[in-house]
Amino acid sequence: MASRSRRVAGLAAGAATILLIPLLPLTAEAADQPSAVAVAGDLDSEFGCGGDWAPDCDQAQMTRRADDVWQLTADLPAGPFAYKAALDKAWDVNYGLNAAPGGANIPITVPAGGAKVSFFYDHGTHWITDTLTAPIATAAGDFQSELGCPSDWSPDCLRTWLQDPDGDDTYTFTTTVLPAGTYQVKATLGMSWDVNYGQDGVQGGDNIAFTVPADATTTTFSYDAPSHSLTVYAGEARPSLQAARAHWLTPGAIAWKLTGDPATRTYQLGGAPGGGLRAGPSGLTGGATIPLTYDPAGMPADLKAKYPHLATYSVLRVPARTDVAALLRGQVAVAAIDADGSLADASSLQIPGVLDTLFAAKARRATLGPTYRAGRPALSLWAPTAQTASVELYDSPTATTPALMPMRRDDATGVWSVTGDRNWDRKFYRYRIKVFAPAAMEVVTNSVTDPYSLALSTDSELSQIVDLDDRDLIPRGWNAPRLPDIANTRQQIQELHIGDFSTEDTTVPAASRGSYLAFTDTDSAGMRHLRELARSGVTTVHLLPTFDFGGVPENPADRDQPPCDLTSYPADSDQQQACIARTQGSDDFNWGYNPLHYTVPEGSYATRPTGAARTRQFREMVQALHRAGLRVVLDVVYNHTAAAGQDPDSVLDRIVPGYYQRLSLNGTVTTDSCCADTAPEHTMMNKLVVDSVKTWAEQYQIDGFRFDLMGLDPMPFR
């Protein structure tokens, strides 16, 4: 079954098992522990809770081990799920992906056949992880008893847990309590000696010796997962390039919040076309480096005005002859180096500013997506950081082997384009993009649908090349005179959810219930009621999100329904919620606030979701509402995406990684309770919004738009 993921799903219950290790008396840090920690997610109902995302559910609570790490173990069925750590049986304090407070949900995929999964949470670092997502790595050696373990060489003592909250495959543990002396250590995985790595990353290899020169010296253990190499060095853990705390604003200026006396350090810009940059002991490794110059004048006035949140940041100057466009097509990072030659700090770069400066002023005038020139289809895509781009062309929505059509890059705009033959019309396609993806920290090849799609196959698997002016997509009478302009009318608005409007209306033919076509049945109870509302003074129907979104299988045969009689339960029972939770990832309902493609009608509301048929049915719905005397306003959530990073539901971020999403100062994607946020203040997201709105107004006769969180969307419509 092909279906699109919702950010909530479900897990099957298993009896929780806890591994307890008797340790020495608790440290002072133990007093700061929370009273409870829950694995709160879309698995709670399967743990036996009354519903999901229930931090107060007893069955979802972790058990605090003697080493002060919290653990919950359960047998789980196959499937994709999500969770967070919620403290003290409430949502007031919770930690998500990358140990971020209030952060994004943590995805987990249980393989076919199910698996026993352990969840671990460390209150010192706030990292929660599971044994499917990350290996539980331990620095096991002859020093562990000094840290409170019951004995040395104990791989199951998590007081020396090597952790990777930022997900860069470097697992570290730092301590300041070791006495001076010489010690030995190995890296163990899985809390046992079954898999261990010694000197030079050799499995089962020799012990690694290290020396602590003085009592309480800060000592860091660092395990590199790809090479299995464990190193021990004095000082704090080296900075991770997973975080992007520096901001490349223009080709010549990088903003970074520098510490100490910036004038006493030197700086470098690193670039690696194939990825592989690392923060080494004396600077960036794994690529070429360019010296940067510290600018004591700080942020110029024009950049302060454009980026007020960075006004206090320092500025590093990039040499004038640097091929910035070429660097941006690979991995980029910056490093600060102390006078003694040792690395002081390092960071990846946020690049929306420099992309706007280099490309967007010209690219905003480009026509993107599918267009027709003298009957020949053309496709254009803005992907300035892509190393290569081509079109995967499919003869049908079920075809599995595409023809690959290379695209040509315009270096001035970053737009890739190709013109096809007339027989491309109504064929299906995706873009194949080779690009560095910060979420993966490597160069990837993504197969992605078109963010400027005008039509899609079922479940948004493929985009379709279509001309919206084709006669078979236009209802009879479509160009008849319209109602007066909405701006000249005092509004009385009725909100509607397309599915809810007719799903339970038995006066609508069964095949049309919950669909656009239900509005075309003039004798149905729903349409009779809408006409009565129009006669009573209602002027406008406000439709909840109608453009293509995730979370509902578009083929009715792929949908599930709650396996129970909800009316059989007492009114105050929690069984209704528990029952609905079992199918909420695959049923027929979603509010629609997790869009995938902004300019295509949602397929689950169409009786024929594949291809452009949904375009005609949407137009027929609008036409029916207009004939009933009602204008149509769309609830548009351009500030949301269904996902970001390398998630299969991420469209924008897999084409220009790091550009379209609104990022925190540290480079993580910001989210609200629903979805990842887009950044309409970025020029090309702004263009996408404007182009999409114009298409809905001109091609679908939409009368107005309700923007979600408009205060965050500075959109100059021009």
Side-chain angles (χ1 to χ4, degrees):
M1 158 176 117
S3 65
R4 298 165 297 170
S5 64
R6 179 183 291 184
R7 295 302 95 190
V8 291
L11 293 186
T17 59
I18 304 298
L19 175 63
L20 296 177
I21 304 174
L23 294 181
L24 297 179
L26 300 178
T27 64
E29 293 180 355
D32 298 327
Q33 292 284 342
S35 63
V37 180
V39 179
D42 53 11
L43 40 74
D44 291 350
S45 59
E46 301 297 344
F47 284 160
C49 303
D52 288 330
W53 302 98
D56 58 345
C57 172
D58 290 340
Q59 293 91 329
Q61 303 305 314
M62 308 178 83
T63 296
R64 181 175 156 194
R65 299 159 43 105
D67 53 16
D68 290 332
V69 172
W70 297 73
Q71 179 178 349
L72 171 66
T73 301
D75 292 312
L76 304 176
F81 310 108
Y83 67 92
K84 300 174 78 171
L87 274 55
D88 300 322
K89 297 192 174 183
W91 281 114
D92 295 347
V93 180
N94 68 85
Y95 297 94
L97 191 65
N98 305 129
N105 298 338
I106 302 166
I108 175 176
T109 300
V110 182
K116 183 181 290 294
V117 182
S118 292
F119 300 84
F120 294 89
Y121 169 76
D122 181 351
H123 192 56
T125 61
H126 305 304
W127 190 39
I128 183 170
T129 189
D130 60 80
T131 48
L132 291 180
T133 300
I136 305 302
T138 309
D142 59 4
F143 57 91
Q144 286 180 283
S145 59
E146 302 285 353
L147 300 175
C149 292
S151 62
D152 291 331
W153 300 103
S154 298
D156 54 353
C157 177
L158 296 186
R159 291 196 184 279
T160 57
W161 184 11
L162 296 159
Q163 300 182 26
D164 181 27
D166 52 27
D168 67 350
D169 283 338
T170 299
Y171 294 74
T172 61
F173 163 70
T174 301
T175 181
T176 59
V177 302
L178 288 179
T182 298
Y183 303 93
Q184 297 186 78
V185 66
K186 298 179 79 171
T188 64
L189 302 185
M191 301 173 66
S192 76
W193 284 109
D194 293 347
V195 180
N196 69 86
Y197 296 94
Q199 192 69 47
D200 301 320
V202 175
Q203 184 166 354
D206 295 337
N207 296 341
I208 302 164
F210 68 95
T211 298
V212 177
D215 291 354
T217 299
T218 299
T219 304
T220 294
F221 301 77
S222 179
Y223 170 70
D224 180 73
S227 67
H228 302 300
S229 175
L230 177 67
T231 56
V232 187
Y233 54 86
E236 297 290 343
R238 294 184 188 122
S240 166
L241 297 185
Q242 190 72 44
R245 295 175 286 109
H247 305 251
W248 201 341
L249 303 181
T250 69
I254 292 173
W256 194 8
K257 195 173 186 66
L258 301 177
T259 59
D261 182 357
T264 64
R265 292 172 172 163
T266 58
Y267 303 91
Q268 58 183 200
L269 168 66
L277 285 177
R278 292 270 178 165
S282 57
L284 297 172
T285 64
T289 59
I290 298 169
L292 301 174
T293 303
Y294 168 67
D295 186 348
M299 189 81 72
D302 60 334
L303 291 182
K304 283 185 179 180
K306 188 173 183 179
Y307 304 99
H309 58 297
L310 304 178
T312 61
Y313 278 43
S314 300
V315 172
L316 302 176
R317 294 295 177 181
V318 182
R321 295 187 178 181
T322 302
D323 190 347
V324 174
L327 286 173
L328 291 169
R329 296 172 75 177
Q331 183 183 12
V332 288
V334 288
I337 301 166
D338 279 329
D340 63 1
S342 62
L343 180 71
D345 200 0
S347 172
S348 288
L349 285 156
Q350 296 190 37
I351 60 174
V354 69
L355 290 181
D356 275 351
T357 304
L358 277 179
F359 302 107
K362 295 179 180 178
R364 68 181 306 158
R365 296 191 291 269
T367 301
L368 301 178
T371 57
Y372 284 75
R373 302 167 187 168
R376 296 180 63 189
L379 296 170
S380 297
L381 174 73
W382 188 67
T385 61
Q387 299 180 6
T388 62
S390 55
V391 174
E392 299 173 357
L393 194 65
Y394 297 82
D395 289 333
S396 73
T398 58
T400 57
T401 304
L404 200 61
M405 307 295 175
M407 304 180 78
R408 179 180 58 84
R409 174 189 167 97
D410 179 4
D411 290 336
T413 63
V415 173
W416 299 76
S417 59
V418 62
T419 299
D421 298 328
R422 291 176 182 268
N423 65 3
W424 283 25
D425 184 49
R426 300 292 176 98
K427 288 191 175 183
F428 294 83
Y429 69 101
R430 279 193 295 244
Y431 295 118
R432 184 176 295 183
I433 309 294
K434 183 179 180 182
V435 65
F436 177 80
M441 292 299 284
E442 63 182 357
V443 174
V444 298
T445 299
N446 288 327
S447 182
V448 194
T449 48
D450 191 345
Y452 271 77
S453 292
L454 297 176
L456 296 158
S457 68
T458 300
D459 290 323
S460 311
E461 294 291 333
L462 300 171
S463 301
Q464 186 183 34
I465 301 170
V466 65
D467 186 345
L468 294 181
D469 291 327
D470 282 349
R471 294 180 62 182
D472 64 317
L473 302 181
I474 299 175
R476 180 173 298 184
W478 179 244
N479 294 316
R482 296 172 62 176
L483 295 170
D485 183 58
I486 196 170
N488 299 322
T489 307
R490 185 181 178 88
Q491 297 298 302
Q492 296 289 336
I493 301 174
Q494 172 67 50
E495 183 178 274
L496 276 181
H497 181 280
I498 290 176
D500 282 354
F501 173 70
S502 61
T503 297
E504 301 297 331
D505 187 350
T506 57
T507 67
V508 175
S512 298
R513 293 174 195 165
S515 76
Y516 303 123
L517 293 184
F519 292 85
T520 68
D521 190 335
T522 58
D523 292 329
S524 71
M527 286 306 296
R528 290 198 303 269
H529 183 62
L530 285 181
R531 288 195 299 272
E532 290 175 5
L533 290 177
R535 289 192 292 268
S536 300
V538 173
T539 62
T540 303
V541 168
H542 163 213
L543 297 175
L544 293 184
T546 60
F547 44 47
D548 181 59
F549 55 76
V552 175
E554 292 185 343
N555 184 349
D558 293 336
R559 300 175 196 158
D560 297 318
Q561 296 299 326
C564 53
D565 179 5
L566 299 178
T567 63
S568 66
Y569 300 123
D572 60 350
S573 171
D574 61 0
Q575 293 304 303
Q576 293 94 331
Q577 183 178 4
C579 179
I580 291 173
R582 297 174 196 168
T583 58
Q584 64 184 9
S586 56
D587 62 19
D588 61 358
F589 184 81
N590 194 306
W591 284 107
Y593 287 93
N594 51 338
L596 293 168
H597 303 87
Y598 299 107
T599 321
V600 183
E602 163 59 20
S604 65
Y605 298 143
T607 61
R608 287 183 294 153
T610 291
R614 65 175 85 173
T615 294
R616 182 183 176 100
Q617 292 187 6
F618 188 97
R619 285 170 165 169
E620 289 174 339
M621 173 190 67
V622 174
Q623 183 181 56
L625 288 168
H626 282 167
R627 287 175 173 173
L630 296 164
R631 294 165 185 79
V632 181
V633 167
L634 298 188
D635 189 336
V636 288
V637 283
Y638 293 104
N639 56 299
H640 284 181
T641 62
Q646 286 296 105
D647 189 290
D649 279 352
S650 172
V651 177
L652 296 171
D653 210 24
R654 286 193 293 150
I655 292 174
V656 191
Y659 177 81
Y660 285 104
Q661 310 293 153
R662 182 174 282 117
L663 305 177
S664 72
L665 290 179
N666 288 335
T668 56
V669 176
T670 61
T671 62
D672 62 15
S673 60
C674 168
C675 319
D677 291 343
T678 62
E681 62 269 25
H682 297 161
T683 301
M684 296 306 287
M685 186 62 207
N686 182 282
K687 172 181 170 58
L688 176 53
V689 172
V690 174
D691 290 347
S692 176
V693 165
K694 289 174 63 177
T695 299
W696 286 112
E698 295 170 357
Q699 293 287 349
Y700 291 93
Q701 297 188 5
I702 296 303
D703 300 288
F705 303 87
R706 178 265 182 185
F707 285 87
D708 189 44
L709 301 179
M710 187 63 182
L712 298 178
D713 298 347
M715 294 179 290
F717 283 86
R718 56 182 181 266

